[in-house]
Each structure stands twice: as C-alpha cells, then as structure tokens.
Amino acid sequence: MATPSGITLAPEGGAHQSIATPLIGLAQDGLAAFEPAFVDELAAILAFAFDYIQRDAEGEASERNWLRDETGGSVYLRLSTRPIEQIKRAMTGELRQAIVDGAYWQRPPGPNCQVVVAYTGAVVPEAIQAVGLMAEDRRDVGLLAVTSADRLNAGWTAAQRARERGLVHARSHIEKLMADIPSHCGIVTVLDGHPATLAWLGAVRGHRVRPLGVEHFGQTGSIPELYRHYGIDANAIVAAAAALTPGRPIRHLKALP
C-alpha cells in the first residue's frame, strides 16, 4: 500500500508527489494495482485483496473476466489524503465485482452520448463538476469511474489474445462497458498521474480520446492551483470535450490560462 497520489499531495510537500505509480502498476507483472476514490470502493478492493494475496498460484485463468485471479499475487493501492465527499449507494454484488474488475459507470451514457469522461482516483470532484458543466450542451454525457487501469487493461489485452487463438466470444470487462457507446462519441480521460495510463481506452472500440494528466511534478501550491496549472481541473476537462466533439460552444467553458 502507498499514499503518493501525485500533485494532489503537493500541500504536504513535493517529496510526496509521484506521477510514475499508475504506469508502474500497469506494467508490473504479478501486481494488481488499484486507485479508489470512495471508501466503499476501498472496502470492496480490500476484501478482494486479502483473499487475492493468499492464493497459491496453482489455479487456471478465468474466462469470466480474462484475468489471472486464480493465481493471486501482490496488490498495490494508490491512495490520497484529499478529503472527498462520499456518495451514498447500495453496494450490490454487481457493483462490487465491477470495482474489482477495474471500472463501472457512475453515470451511464445515454443512447446519443457525445462525451464520456473517464477518471481515476482523487480527481473525481473535478470529473463530476465537468459533467455537470457540459450537460446542457453535450448530449447524454457518461461518467466512467476507473478503479484499476491495471486490471482493466490486463483483461482487455487477455481477451484480445483469446480471440486471436479462436475463442471468438471472449469479451473483457471494459469491452462490455463500452459496447453501447456510439462511434461518434469522444472520450476525455483524467487522473493525477501520467495521461498514458488511460489513453488506451480510445483503442477499445475506436473512439477519439483526449487524455489529461500530469507529466511533470515537484511543485507546491494549493490543489486547485496545481490542477488548473497542469490542466486536470473541471474547466480543462470541459475544454478537452469541447475540442473533441462537434456541437455548439459549451457555455460554461472559461478561457484556459
């Protein structure tokens, strides 16, 4: 477990900042990396993790989600000390499994969805605000909560390999989530980490994507100041959506610094 959640910890000092962690979690074999935003997500992930780390590595890969859950391994939690208003909801078995598999729809996209905002971790207030700001000018906006870019990506790549080997019905969790998104929809991804962590989402079904994130770090300041400077605040998300998708100007968009 670790706490360095990028520039969000800047008020506590530059030494706590880290932008490499999400990509390390994505690439490290044998490691299941998570970055929850809400405490109920964390509870679901911890329940999974306490079992996962004790597995004997002798099982066979599951065809339910195309992950190697039967073999077990290490678990990494990227957390933050930023206070976030919690949402009240029933933790169903379906939601719990989706959190563990890597993502779920916090706001499902409508049939004419023009924009999807996909976020990870501590930037959830900005993602929610951005969806609200653009809702009047972009249709059926979706909000995708990514709790583990690592597991989401691993399931997708494993399902592709399975189809190449003849299992034509193999479908990963992210493919199922994005199955009904129109082809004209644009995806804006945002996290307090390197933008490449979620940039691959556009390749799942061929959607245009604008990844937002942090490529440099070490500065100190307030969270709003640094989010604005690095382009991961609500206004930057709205600006990315406006540039990515056709339609009338988004009335709540402010000029970028």
Side-chain angles (χ1 to χ4, degrees):
M1 183 180 297
T3 57
S5 188
I7 62 171
T8 304
L9 292 190
E12 301 179 26
H16 276 190
Q17 298 175 48
S18 168
I19 63 165
T21 307
L23 283 178
I24 291 175
L26 204 67
Q28 180 64 52
D29 188 24
L31 181 72
F34 294 90
E35 188 169 351
F38 299 108
V39 68
D40 60 353
E41 296 174 354
L42 179 60
I45 291 166
L46 283 174
F48 164 80
F50 289 142
D51 174 58
Y52 185 81
I53 61 178
Q54 298 180 74
R55 295 175 187 174
D56 57 15
E58 295 180 356
E60 295 295 329
S62 170
E63 292 188 2
R64 182 191 63 77
N65 57 10
W66 307 101
L67 291 167
R68 296 186 296 174
D69 283 356
E70 287 68 26
T71 63
S74 301
V75 175
Y76 186 95
L77 303 181
R78 189 180 194 238
L79 306 177
S80 175
T81 58
R82 184 187 189 188
I84 293 175
E85 183 178 354
Q86 300 298 298
I87 54 178
K88 296 181 180 180
R89 57 187 171 186
M91 180 53 66
T92 64
E94 182 181 3
L95 176 57
R96 183 179 294 106
Q97 189 61 61
I99 290 169
V100 168
D101 286 345
Y104 64 91
W105 287 114
Q106 188 169 326
R107 173 175 170 164
N112 298 307
C113 180
Q114 290 182 290
V115 183
V116 164
V117 176
Y119 76 88
T120 285
V123 299
V124 58
E126 286 69 27
I128 292 174
Q129 183 184 2
V131 169
L133 290 173
M134 71 176 82
E136 296 179 33
D137 302 299
R138 293 296 183 272
R139 293 190 302 271
D140 296 344
V141 181
L143 182 62
L144 183 68
V146 179
T147 53
S148 176
D150 174 27
R151 287 173 60 80
L152 207 59
N153 178 268
W156 176 55
T157 55
Q160 291 181 95
R161 285 194 297 270
R163 289 194 292 269
E164 291 162 0
R165 295 168 182 171
L167 297 175
V168 295
H169 298 295
R171 291 295 181 273
S172 66
H173 182 56
I174 186 58
E175 289 171 317
K176 295 174 183 177
L177 286 174
M178 299 180 67
D180 296 325
I181 299 177
S183 59
H184 64 263
C185 179
I187 301 175
V188 179
T189 68
V190 59
L191 78 160
D192 182 2
H194 198 282
T197 309
L198 296 176
W200 59 271
L201 286 175
V204 175
R205 294 186 60 83
H207 293 97
R208 292 165 298 153
V209 63
R210 172 67 169 99
L212 303 178
V214 180
E215 297 175 81
H216 308 283
F217 65 102
Q219 296 77 9
T220 58
S222 70
I223 292 174
E225 288 172 339
L226 292 177
Y227 277 20
R228 183 170 58 252
H229 175 76
Y230 287 108
I232 59 173
D233 64 350
N235 192 60
I237 297 171
V238 174
L244 191 63
T245 59
R248 63 186 180 186
I250 298 178
R251 66 196 72 185
H252 297 294
L253 175 61
K254 301 176 182 178
L256 295 178

